[in-house]
Amino acid sequence: MSIPFIDLKTQYQALKPQIQARIDRVLEHGQYIMGPEVAELEERLGAYTGARHCVTVASGTEALLISLMALGIGPGDEVITTPFTFVATAEVIVLLGATPVFVDIEPDTCNIDASLIEAAITPRTKAIMPVSLYGQPADMDEINDIAARHGNIPVIEDAAQSFGATYKGRKSCNLSTIGCTSFFPSKPLGCYGDGGAIFTSDDAIAQACREIRVHGQSRRYVHTRIGVGGRMDTLQCAVVLAKLERFDWEVEQRIAIGERYNHLVDQAGIARILQRGDRKSVFAQYTVLLDERSAVQSALSKNNVPTAVHYPVPLHRQAAYSSSYRHIDLPFSEGAATRVMSLPMSPDVSALDQKAVVTALSLAVRSIKGLCREP
C-alpha cells in the first residue's frame, strides 16, 4: 500500500489542459504582477462566497496581517484567538506589537470555545480571530453576537483551511467582518506556490486592504498608509482560476470522503474530530484522536500509510511565545496537541484506500493497546 497524504498529482492530471492554458495565457501577455487574472479571480471568489469584496494577497499569513493592519491594530491592543492553530494566526498579531489573548478549544471539534470568549474581552480587545480548523467553521454566530455586545469588535475568520465550507448555509470567508483564506498547495483550493485572499463586505476595510497590499499606495507613488508587498502573483491566480473548474465537485467529494471516514473510524471504535450538524466541513485534514499517537504513527509508517500532526505544540507552549504565557492553563488545547493525528485526505482518495487506511489504523491501535496491557 502506498497512498499519498495529499494527492495533488491526480488533481493536476484531471486539470492539466485548463491549468496549462491559463499559464500560457499569462506567459503570452506578460503581466506577471496584477495582470487581468488577478481581477478575474477576485470577482469569481467574491461571487462564490457572497462577500462584496475579495482582495487577493501573497499568502494566507499576509491576508491575516493586512486585515489587522486595515483595522489599525498595533501596540497595546489585544486580539482574542485560539492557541491550537498554525503559528501564523498569532504571529501576525505579535508582528504588529499587539498581544494574542488565547482562549481554550472545544475538545470535540478543536475549534475555539465561543463560550469562553466573552470573559477574555477587555477594553484593549480590538479583534476576535477564530480559526476554522480542519475545514470546519467555529460557532461564528455566537462569536459575532459576543462581538456586537461589546461595541462591534471586528471578527476575523482565519479560514485558511476552510474555503468551500459552510456554516448554517453560508460560505466560510463571508461569516464575519473579515474572512482570510490561503491558497497554499495543500489547502482545499490551492495554487502552486503561496497565495491568499481577504473577503469583506465593508467598503472602507476593502479599500484599506487593497492599498496596504501595494505598499500603502492609493495611486502610483502616492503612499497614504503603511503597507507591505503583499500581492498575489498573476501566475498563481491563473492556477486557482483553472482549479475552480472542478472545485464544486471537489467540495462534494471532500464531504463524502469525510463522511465515509467517519463511518469507518466509528466502526473501528476510534475517537475523531466531530462535525457540528449546522455546518459542512471541507476536511482540509481528516483528524483522529489517539492516546498512543507516536507508536501508531510508527506502525502506520511501516505499512506506507502517511500521517501528520496538526498541531503538536499549542502556541502558548511554543518557545517564541511561552515566556508570556507561563501561567496560563488551557487543558483542552494541550491535550489535543498530544492526541491529534491526520490521515490521507484529498478529493481523489478512493473508498478502497480509505478502507485500507482505517484497517491499518485499527490494527495498529489494537496491537499497541495489547502491548500496553502486558505486565
Side-chain angles (χ1 to χ4, degrees):
M1 181 167 54
S2 181
I3 301 167
F5 186 70
I6 298 171
D7 189 359
L8 294 177
K9 289 183 179 178
T10 300
Q11 183 195 55
Y12 173 64
Q13 290 303 320
L15 290 167
K16 188 174 181 177
Q18 295 95 319
I19 291 170
Q20 197 59 59
R22 282 284 186 176
I23 290 174
D24 287 347
R25 201 170 303 153
V26 176
L27 297 176
E28 288 293 333
H29 66 57
Q31 298 177 56
Y32 303 119
I33 302 296
M34 300 303 288
E37 286 78 8
V38 176
E40 182 184 356
L41 181 61
E42 290 176 347
E43 184 178 350
R44 293 275 300 276
L45 295 178
Y48 180 86
T49 62
R52 191 155 61 234
H53 303 281
C54 170
V55 182
T56 55
V57 292
S59 67
T61 305
E62 209 76 16
L64 295 172
L65 178 67
I66 290 171
S67 296
L68 292 171
M69 292 174 72
L71 294 173
I73 289 171
D77 296 336
E78 295 176 350
V79 178
I80 295 172
T81 191
T82 167
F84 195 66
T85 177
F86 183 60
V87 70
T89 308
E91 183 176 60
V92 293
I93 300 168
V94 175
L95 282 171
L96 293 176
T99 301
V101 175
F102 293 124
V103 167
D104 211 355
I105 59 173
E106 299 171 331
D108 53 355
T109 69
C110 287
N111 272 328
I112 192 169
D113 188 336
S115 69
L116 302 177
I117 289 175
E118 196 152 26
I121 293 173
T122 75
R124 295 180 297 279
T125 303
K126 295 298 184 289
I128 302 170
M129 192 186 292
V131 176
S132 296
L133 197 70
Y134 302 140
Q136 177 179 211
D139 192 346
M140 296 301 292
D141 279 357
E142 185 174 351
I143 294 168
N144 288 332
D145 287 347
I146 292 166
R149 289 199 298 271
H150 290 268
N152 292 316
I153 298 169
V155 176
I156 303 170
E157 182 196 9
D158 181 343
Q161 301 176 10
S162 62
F163 191 82
T166 59
Y167 172 85
K168 298 183 179 180
R170 310 192 311 272
K171 288 286 199 309
S172 177
C173 292
N174 188 27
L175 302 173
S176 55
T177 317
I178 302 173
C180 296
T181 199
S182 168
F183 302 126
F184 188 79
S186 62
K187 303 302 184 188
L189 180 61
C191 57
Y192 290 155
D194 271 317
I198 300 165
F199 298 85
T200 185
S201 291
D202 184 300
D203 296 345
I205 291 174
Q207 182 62 28
C209 290
R210 289 193 180 99
E211 292 178 4
I212 291 167
R213 76 169 169 183
V214 286
H215 304 284
Q217 289 186 138
S218 56
R219 63 181 190 275
R220 189 168 174 80
Y221 298 131
V222 176
H223 303 270
T224 52
R225 56 181 95 229
I226 302 299
V228 297
R231 299 161 297 202
M232 185 170 171
D233 295 342
T234 308
L235 278 167
Q236 298 300 344
C237 289
V239 170
V240 177
L241 282 165
K243 287 194 175 188
L244 278 174
E245 297 291 325
R246 75 166 198 163
F247 186 62
D248 285 341
W249 176 85
E250 288 192 0
V251 170
E252 290 175 4
Q253 288 297 108
R254 283 182 172 276
I255 292 169
I257 290 165
E259 290 174 350
R260 190 181 303 124
Y261 260 140
N262 285 346
H263 176 69
L264 292 168
V265 167
D266 289 348
Q267 277 190 322
I270 296 168
R272 60 177 172 86
I273 299 300
L274 298 185
Q275 290 80 46
R276 298 282 187 245
D278 60 357
R279 60 206 80 170
K280 289 286 186 183
S281 176
V282 284
F283 294 97
Q285 295 87 22
Y286 186 87
T287 304
V288 295
L289 298 159
L290 303 166
D291 292 326
E292 301 289 339
R293 183 178 65 201
S294 294
V296 172
Q297 280 192 291
S298 178
L300 290 176
S301 178
K302 290 173 183 175
N303 284 305
N304 297 315
V305 177
T307 59
V309 176
H310 307 94
Y311 298 93
V313 182
L315 300 187
H316 67 294
R317 295 290 180 247
Q318 293 282 357
Y321 302 86
S322 59
S323 62
S324 301
Y325 301 96
R326 205 171 279 119
H327 305 297
I328 194 171
D329 183 27
L330 300 171
F332 292 130
S333 297
E334 292 168 28
T338 68
R339 300 184 68 211
V340 294
M341 186 186 80
S342 298
L343 304 177
M345 181 67 197
S346 62
D348 296 292
V349 66
S350 71
L352 283 175
D353 281 349
Q354 284 187 273
K355 188 172 182 181
V357 167
V358 178
T359 297
L361 172 63
S362 180
L363 287 170
V365 169
R366 290 206 304 270
S367 172
I368 290 157
K369 281 184 177 178
L371 289 172
C372 290
R373 283 199 295 268
E374 289 182 1

